[in-house]
Each structure stands twice: as C-alpha cells, then as structure tokens.
C-alpha cells in the first residue's frame, strides 16, 4: 500500500477543480487538500474517511462535463486502490 496513490488522487482533483465550476471546484480543492494531508500523515486514513471523500467527489462531479468527470473518476480509482489494502471493513 502506498500513499503515493493518495497524492495522485489529490492531483487528479486539482485538475478537476481547474475544469469545474465554482462550487464543484471548491469541493474538489477541499478533498484534494485532505488527500494531500493524509498522504503526508504518519498514519493513513480509515475506510470511513475515504468513503466520505469518494462520496463528495462523485457528488461534485455528478453534473460536470467529461473532463471533470474523467479526473474525478481517476481520483476515485486511486483512492479505491489504496483502500483495498487498508485493514478493516
């Protein structure tokens, strides 16, 4: 399990924010910041924390165009890949 996946997800969300409208962009930026912080933290996030971020990403991308959706889904894939190796649920 590598926290590089969380950093990659953060970068995808920054790209999504650049292509999104104001409200969605702000939500993507907040989650990107959360993911960057988690990638640099001593202990990684748990399943619930990641599930909340995935929900926020999908909700923010729900009315977005293809470019935004592509970056959002790439971020979700990175988080999901990281999450697969997290013990617990």
């Amino acid at each position: 399990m590598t926290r590089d996946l969380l950093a990659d997800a953060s970068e995808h969300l920054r790209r999504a924010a650049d292509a999104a409208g104001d409200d969605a962009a702000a939500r993507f930026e907040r989650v990107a910041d959360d993911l960057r912080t988690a990638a640099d933290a001593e202990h990684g996030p748990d399943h619930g924390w990641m599930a909340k971020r995935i929900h926020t990403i999908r909700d923010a991308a729900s009315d977005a165009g293809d470019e935004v959706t592509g970056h959002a889904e790439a971020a979700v894939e990175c988080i999901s890949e990281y999450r697969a190796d997290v013990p617990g649920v």
Side-chain angles (χ1 to χ4, degrees):
M1 158 174 57
T2 173
R3 293 210 197 138
D4 289 342
L5 290 166
L6 298 178
D8 291 346
S10 176
E11 290 305 313
H12 282 296
L13 291 178
R14 299 236 184 261
R15 290 184 206 118
D18 288 344
D22 292 338
D23 181 52
R27 293 173 76 188
F28 288 137
E29 288 288 343
R30 275 193 304 275
V31 176
D33 290 343
D34 288 349
L35 290 167
R36 175 50 72 183
T37 299
D40 295 337
E42 184 176 333
H43 300 286
D46 63 22
H47 286 281
W49 186 94
M50 288 182 280
K52 285 181 182 179
R53 276 40 181 208
I54 288 172
H55 175 76
T56 300
I57 294 165
R58 287 188 170 145
D59 188 53
S62 65
D63 293 327
D66 290 343
E67 181 179 3
V68 173
T69 302
H71 289 302
E73 284 304 314
V76 168
E77 287 176 24
C78 289
I79 296 166
S80 296
E81 186 176 340
Y82 175 84
R83 190 177 181 194
D85 289 333
V86 173
V89 175

